[in-house]
Every structure is written in C-alpha cells, then in structure tokens.
Amino acid sequence: MTKGRSLIGRCLLAFVWCATLAHALEESQSPYLRLYADHPIEWRAWTHETLAAAREKSKPIFLSIGYLTCRGCRVMNEQTFLQPAVYEFLNEHFINILVDREERPDIDHVYQAFVAGTTGRGGWPLNVWLTPDLEPFLGGTFFPPEDRPGQRGFLSVSRLAARGWAEDRANVVARAAELTEALHQLATQQPTEGLGAGPAVWQAALEQLVAEADPDHGGFGEGPKFPHALNIRFLFRLSAEPRIGKHQRQMARELALSALAAVLDGGLHDREAGGFHRYTVDRAWSEPHYEKMLYDQAWITQSLLDAWQLSGEQRWADAACATIDFVRRDLARPDGALAASFNAHTVGDGPVLDDKVVTAWNGYMIAALVRAACLFNELEYFDTAQTAARRIRAQAYNEKSQRLYRLPGGPPGFAADYGAMIKASLALYEAGLDPVWLDWARDLQAAMERRFGDETAGGYFITEAEHSQVLVRMKDTFDDAEPAASSTAAGNLLRLAALTGEHAYRERAGAIWDAFAGHHRLRPAAMPLLLAQTMALANPAQQIIIAGDPEQDDTQVLWQVVRETYLPDAVILMADTGRGDRGTWPDYLQAMTPIDGQATAYVCEDFVCHLPVTTAAELRAQLTSE
C-alpha cells in the first residue's frame, strides 16, 4: 500500500512539474517557446530557476536554439523530437532548455561559436549539450533521429553525451573547461597589429568581395544565397569615395549593382506578396526558404535606396516602396509596432506570423522608413516609423532606469537593441527636428556606454554584465545579416557629432575602429558597415540645411537636388520657416534663414558653411565637387 501511494505521489508530482513547465512556456513572450508548451519533451525556459535546478541535480543540460519561422527547426521537431525514443531519453537524462535565438542572441552567439569551432559549421536549429555550469562539451545543428551515412543521428549523440556524463564525468568536465577557455580567449583576444582606417583597408575589402562574388549568378558565395545587404551598402559607399582610384570605384559600383540585381530578380524576392525571403538554398537564387525577416526588409530597402540615388533608375525606387508596402501591410501590428517575421511557406502548417516585437529590428526598419519618407515625400512612411518608435519607447523602455528591453516584457536589451534605436531616433530627429528624439538618442548612447562599452579594449559587448546569464560575454566581430552593435554605434556616434558639434562622440567612433582593426587583417571585409563608417570618419562632418517653406516650389527644387544625390555621411535638415517652435532648434540653425525671401541651402563642414545658394545648379555644384 505504501509503495502504491509512493508511486501515485511520484506520478502526481511529475504531472504538477510538467504542468508548471508548460505554464512557464505558455506565458513566454516568445511565440517559439509558446509553440512547445505542450510538447512531450519537458522543455524549460532559460531562467535562473532552470539553471539552478541543473546545478542542484548535477544533471547535464540539453540546449536547443531556434526561432518560430525556422523551417529546419520545424523539420527536426517533426522528424526527431517527436519520436518517443528521443523525448523519453531526453526527459530521463537531461535538463532540456529551449531558447528563441531572436529573444536571446547572446546565448546563441556563445554556442554558435562553440559549434562552428568544433564542427566547422553553424546555423539553426542549434543543439548543444552542456555541463550544469553551462560549459559545452558536444553540439551540432540539424540531427536526424537515427544514424545516416556520413551523419550521426540524434539518439546516438544523446546517448554518447549521457554515457560520458554518467561514466567519464571528470574527463567530460575537463574537456568542457578547455573548450570554454577557448571561448574566453576568442572573446578577449586583442590582435597585436591593426590596419589604418584608409584606402589600403578599403581596397583589401573590395578585393575580398570581388573574390567571393559569383560571376555566373550574382551575389556572394556558391550557395545558399543570402542578400548580403551590408556588403552591398559598403560597396556603394566605396563607389563614391574619392580617395581610391576611379577604376576601383567603378568596380565597387558594378559589383554592388550586380549583387543587388540578383537579390531583386531571383527567387529571394517575392514579387506577388512582396518582401524578401531570408535566403535561397541554391546558387541560382531559385529555391527560397520562405521566412521573411524584418531586419532583411530594412537593410535591403536601404540598399535599394542607395542604388536609386546613385543610378537614378526607377526600378530601385519602385522595389524599395514595394518592400515598405509589404512591411506596412503584413508586419505592422495593430498597436503600431512591427512584427519580427513572416513565414510564407504554403505547405503543412500554412502562412505563420511571428508577431513578437524585437526592439533592434524595429529600429532598423524605422530608420529605413524615415529615409524613404524623406526621399519620396511619403508622409505615411514617416507616420508608420514614428508610431513604431513611440510604441517601442512606451512598451520596451524604462524611463527611470534608461533601460531598453529586447521585447516588451522580455529580457533586458542587448547592445544591438540600443544601437538600432539610437539610429532610428536620430533618423526621426533629422526628418522632423523634434528634440524628443535627439534627447532620447543621447540618453540611449550614454546608457549603451555604461552597460556595454569595453573600457579596456574598446567596442561593445553583446550583453551587459548585470543581466547576462551567459557563459562568456562576447562581442560581434562580423557584420552579417544584422550588423555588429559596434558597427551601428560608430555610425550613430558620427551622426551625433555632426548634429551636436560635440567632438567626443567622434573620438569614440574612432576608438571603435581601433578596437576591431586587427580583425580586418585576416578578413578585410569582416565588418563592411564599420568600414563604411571609417570613410565618414576620415572626412569632416557634413551638414546640409534647407531653409524655407516645404510647401513652396522654391524649397522643393532645392530639396529635389538633395534627395537625388547620394550623401551617405551628411546630416540633412529642413529648417521649416513656417514652424512656430524654432526655439527648440540648435543654435546653428537659428541663423539659417531664407535670403531675400528665397529658399536657401547651406552646405557646411564641421559647422563652417560655404556661401549660401538659392538655385538647384549652385547646390548641385557644391554637393558633387570632390
């Protein structure tokens, strides 16, 4: 009888525990975690309580990282995780933790580095076995349930991990400690010799990208094919750089236009529903993976706007507007914020919207929307951008502590979230001169310095020390689908300097290059967005102010010249003479008024201005002179 009660008691406790785990996932801000709330694997979230449980029980952790619109994650779930032999084994031998990489990019970054370093490849789903102290000892990406020719099955690897922990724990722990030390060294290594921010490093990056270009199908690499929008943006910026030769400028321009044409004309572009898929599985751009990420829409839009300004070809402008229309139609939430991604896959589980609000991704898209609004005089684009920014500030920001959050109600924000929202705030300020946005940008920059800045080696850590919950604090050293936070910060600091005249911002931007210059000796195009900022760093800060009534033709004539000219480093402001709140403007704008009642343009370098001009021809001459 006692034995029976004990068995019943254990079953009841197990039921209560599983119900508690399911409730924790159901309450998550992540749709990906909520999807697995009733899963046969006893998934837990990455929390202090979960990590403490692993240490108390001295039980190894199985960590799986994915995201809602990850097709490979769904396939592995269907083919592997739902097999009874698999979930029964995991529940018996491991603490099983599920992480949404879009919610916790810091955790993903650490274990991607481990898996890439030990297997030669990374990606999602990412599956890693850890000691209770979070040190990795085994890992990989996609696993079939059973062994296949040339590939170990998931059960085989899981049994290996469990057997090692049970029978040879000392060696497993020692090996995990060695691998963790390698991660620490990777995170803290300082190249002994860097490169100057000048033509030599730009030329080397161009040569690397030319070597990686696909001459037959366009883009970079042999497949799968990604948009590589940040490579394209660097090449466009290089094509306008007078400190390199004319031949190199032309080469950069042609490569950028060719790569962007491949993105626009191939299967990555959804011509019917709008927007761009994340990548194609083949070299010829014909077979897309169907997720459409908000950050891709933002950076591709920026590249399309670059192409339009540099070439004048309407197709690029049309494509940019069509992409924005997709975002506003399919990714704008009822509350005004922008959803993370959309899966357009039409087989199996249908079209899926990941409606979580990622702060960084909203920031990237807000900046793109504002730029398009200014170039095309589309007030609706600006309204969408400003509404999204206000929603982020209301729901994912604590005014008292000046802390951003990765998502409303989610974990504390990462350096990328701060950098992206600073970028968005500065764009909103330049477009409307509302001091609220400049003040917020300055507050966020100060918070980013306090929480993420590396005072010893320079640059920015991904996560702040106080809220990290990670094995190693690391920095992004590559601009990939998303830019490294340090790359974004360099551009923000330069714009803050150009808007405020405070040279300290510019000095900090230069220090970022010093921190990462050594990484570019082995891979010159490692951080293309940062390289683009070094071109601005080598020039005086440029301010362009149009003083006049935006509703009048003479103002629009001058504005037309500005909008059609590629000016990647300039701060461009409209001193609207009809506004009644000029008292909030910075001092240098107060004196910039129309001459003899005629709309007037002021082109300045470090706030020292050329002679004011009132005609399109005069303004064009000042903007295009080298």
Side-chain angles (χ1 to χ4, degrees), residues 398-563:
N398 184 309
E399 296 279 353
K400 184 176 181 180
S401 64
Q402 295 184 337
R403 171 167 280 119
L404 270 177
Y405 291 85
R406 177 67 172 177
L407 14 143
F414 305 102
D417 298 300
Y418 285 74
M421 284 312 300
I422 295 166
K423 179 180 178 68
S425 298
L426 291 174
L428 287 165
Y429 175 71
E430 288 184 47
L433 286 177
D434 184 342
V436 166
W437 297 117
L438 180 60
D439 291 343
W440 196 34
R442 297 184 69 156
D443 288 345
L444 289 175
Q445 186 62 48
M448 186 174 181
E449 299 293 341
R450 291 195 305 272
R451 297 194 169 109
F452 305 96
D454 184 345
E455 296 181 1
T456 302
Y460 300 87
F461 292 105
I462 295 171
T463 188
E464 56 180 306
E466 182 181 353
H467 293 279
S468 64
Q469 287 185 309
V470 292
L471 184 66
V472 181
R473 280 184 90 199
M474 303 187 79
K475 301 174 188 174
D476 285 315
T477 57
F478 290 91
D479 291 329
D480 199 6
E482 298 180 64
S486 297
S487 298
T488 305
N492 293 339
L493 289 164
L494 288 170
R495 296 195 92 74
L496 280 165
L499 284 165
T500 66
E502 296 179 25
H503 194 70
Y505 287 128
R506 195 172 181 86
E507 291 177 347
R508 272 182 273 175
I512 292 174
W513 171 253
D514 293 339
F516 292 96
H519 294 283
H520 292 76
R521 182 165 293 280
L522 294 177
R523 185 170 175 80
M527 301 173 76
L529 187 62
L530 180 58
L531 285 178
Q533 310 301 349
T534 65
M535 297 180 213
L537 187 64
N539 292 323
Q542 187 178 38
Q543 301 88 17
I544 300 171
I545 298 93
I546 307 295
D549 183 346
E551 302 297 324
Q552 298 301 314
D553 290 344
D554 57 348
T555 305
Q556 285 300 314
V557 166
L558 296 178
W559 186 250
Q560 184 73 8
V561 174
V562 172
R563 66 190 286 266

Side-chain angles (χ1 to χ4, degrees), residues 20-99:
T20 301
L21 294 178
H23 177 73
L25 295 187
E26 285 175 353
E27 295 298 311
S28 171
Q29 292 293 313
S30 163
Y32 182 64
L33 297 192
R34 295 199 301 268
L35 189 67
Y36 288 83
D38 297 320
H39 200 271
I41 295 176
E42 295 170 4
W43 291 117
R44 311 183 195 197
W46 183 288
T47 64
H48 286 293
E49 294 76 13
T50 298
L51 303 183
R55 290 191 293 270
E56 289 167 6
K57 297 181 180 184
S58 192
K59 201 169 184 179
I61 293 169
F62 169 63
L63 171 66
S64 186
I65 303 176
Y67 55 100
L68 185 64
T69 55
C70 166
R71 186 170 183 271
C73 303
R74 295 200 303 278
V75 171
M76 185 165 175
N77 179 52
E78 295 164 3
Q79 294 183 2
T80 303
F81 289 152
L82 290 178
Q83 298 298 317
V86 170
Y87 62 71
E88 289 171 1
F89 190 85
L90 287 178
N91 290 341
E92 180 180 355
H93 293 281
F94 302 100
I95 298 287
N96 303 301
I97 299 180
L98 191 67
V99 165

Side-chain angles (χ1 to χ4, degrees), residues 592-609:
M592 294 183 178
T593 57
I595 295 176
D596 296 330
Q598 182 77 14
T600 303
Y602 298 81
V603 178
C604 313
E605 292 183 352
D606 283 338
F607 304 99
V608 177
C609 301

